[in-house]
Amino acid sequence: RPIYIHAHVLLPRGYADNPDRYYPSIYSLGHGRTPFSFSTTPSSRPRGDINPVTGTESGYDFYQSWIADDFPRVIAISLEQQTPYFPDSYSVNSPNNGPYGDAIVEEVIPHLEERFRIIRKPYARQLEGASTSGWQTLALQLRNPDFFGGAWILQPDPIDFRRFFHINIYEDTSAFSVSVGQFTTAERYFRRTVEGQPVWTMKQVSQFEDVLGSRGRSHFQLEGWEAVFGPVGAEGYPVPLWNKQTGTIDRAVARYWRDNGFDLRQYAQRNWST
């Protein structure tokens, strides 16, 4: 059945006035937002103010730069790739989600380059993304080195599964606790403040997702990864990396993540020559 991937295309100033001019493209990936949060609505923040959390300017500030005389003329594109398990497919082929990696490179981008005046050369295809999109930006570049010309990878999701947050999924037995001495253990944390104060533990997030939906359908982060990286279970749903109640890691699933190229550090090392 048809699966639709939606694109938001931001055209440069002067696009309509220069019908013979072709432009490079930059794919600003991230949950379907307008590229670079572009907005013609004035921000409540002062002009040039940088968000202390994201480190970025407002979408209105970007709009002012986009239309300025000295701003580079490019076509900026963002994609919406909602799946049954998460707001994003991560732009890779996945047994649970489907062949989104092939769809992006073989169908979506060629269609956009035909529909808009985009230079059809690797050097003119650039990628950019943070968090979820940081991971998929790196994955797209590594898996398609002759198709994309470069990538800006910002605070990506875990790219080395020996450090999946604080978990080595290949050697640790528990996602919830870590031994800190002969007689004591400590909880593993999923999120902390910048001062180091724990906010959520891995156990809390796992059990929270277990409440939101069964069989990996919480639509939250851990199960989003399991749908992208993991195998399909006997009932047709993603196989969890660890038991949501006990935290016990399934080593077979961990090996599947690695052997199918989702540990990007290991993938890069294995395929370095190409």
Side-chain angles (χ1 to χ4, degrees):
R1 60 187 178 86
I3 300 293
Y4 295 98
I5 296 172
H6 300 272
H8 300 263
V9 180
L10 183 59
L11 299 175
R13 195 185 84 175
Y15 180 87
D17 299 327
N18 296 276
D20 297 325
R21 185 175 180 182
Y22 282 71
Y23 299 85
S25 58
I26 180 166
Y27 288 84
S28 176
L29 302 172
H31 301 333
R33 61 184 170 86
T34 306
F36 303 108
S37 301
F38 179 93
S39 175
T40 58
T41 302
S43 171
S44 59
R45 289 156 45 190
R47 180 78 190 274
D49 185 47
I50 300 299
N51 186 305
V53 176
T54 64
T56 59
E57 63 185 9
S58 72
Y60 183 74
D61 279 1
F62 175 70
Y63 159 64
Q64 294 294 312
S65 298
W66 184 259
I67 63 173
D69 291 339
D70 59 350
F71 196 81
R73 302 302 177 212
V74 301
I75 293 177
I77 301 163
S78 63
L79 303 174
E80 288 188 57
Q81 306 178 67
Q82 189 92 4
T83 79
Y85 300 103
F86 197 66
D88 205 291
S89 74
Y90 282 66
S91 297
V92 290
N93 295 344
S94 162
N96 290 291
N97 290 330
Y100 278 88
D102 289 346
I104 294 299
V105 172
E106 297 176 11
E107 297 182 59
V108 175
I109 291 179
H111 173 76
L112 291 170
E113 291 179 345
E114 182 177 345
R115 170 66 178 80
F116 300 96
R117 298 195 306 275
I118 299 174
I119 299 171
R120 303 181 187 185
K121 299 288 185 180
Y123 79 87
R125 301 184 189 108
Q126 302 291 317
L127 298 159
E128 180 271 341
S131 190
T132 290
S133 304
W135 190 97
Q136 68 178 298
T137 294
L138 179 57
L140 279 168
Q141 182 66 66
L142 286 176
R143 291 166 182 265
N144 304 279
D146 298 323
F147 189 78
F148 295 106
W152 285 268
I153 299 136
L154 311 171
Q155 69 258 29
D157 288 359
I159 59 174
D160 185 341
F161 294 161
R162 299 172 304 182
R163 293 289 292 177
F164 189 73
F165 287 80
H166 296 289
I167 305 166
N168 183 331
I169 70 171
Y170 310 121
E171 297 182 6
D172 293 333
T173 58
S174 173
F176 292 170
S177 62
V178 58
S179 176
V180 292
Q182 187 175 358
F183 304 108
T184 57
T185 60
E187 290 224 51
R188 297 185 191 272
Y189 295 114
F190 180 88
R191 181 182 178 187
R192 297 183 296 170
T193 68
V194 293
E195 291 84 14
Q197 171 64 43
V199 178
W200 303 334
T201 67
M202 297 300 284
K203 182 177 181 179
Q204 288 173 325
V205 174
S206 295
Q207 295 182 353
F208 172 66
E209 294 192 10
D210 215 18
V211 170
L212 288 180
S214 63
R215 296 185 176 91
R217 297 174 298 179
S218 71
H219 223 240
F220 211 68
Q221 185 61 80
L222 296 176
E223 293 181 341
W225 285 323
E226 289 171 347
V228 174
F229 305 149
V232 181
E235 296 180 328
Y237 296 95
V239 181
L241 178 60
W242 59 74
N243 184 293
K244 296 295 192 299
Q245 296 300 315
T246 67
T248 302
I249 295 172
D250 187 331
R251 292 284 179 77
V253 174
R255 290 192 295 270
Y256 183 96
W257 287 24
R258 178 196 63 201
D259 295 346
N260 286 272
F262 298 110
D263 182 326
L264 297 183
R265 188 278 314 168
Q266 200 272 346
Y267 178 89
Q269 182 176 9
R270 189 172 73 234
N271 296 283
W272 189 251
S273 62
T274 56

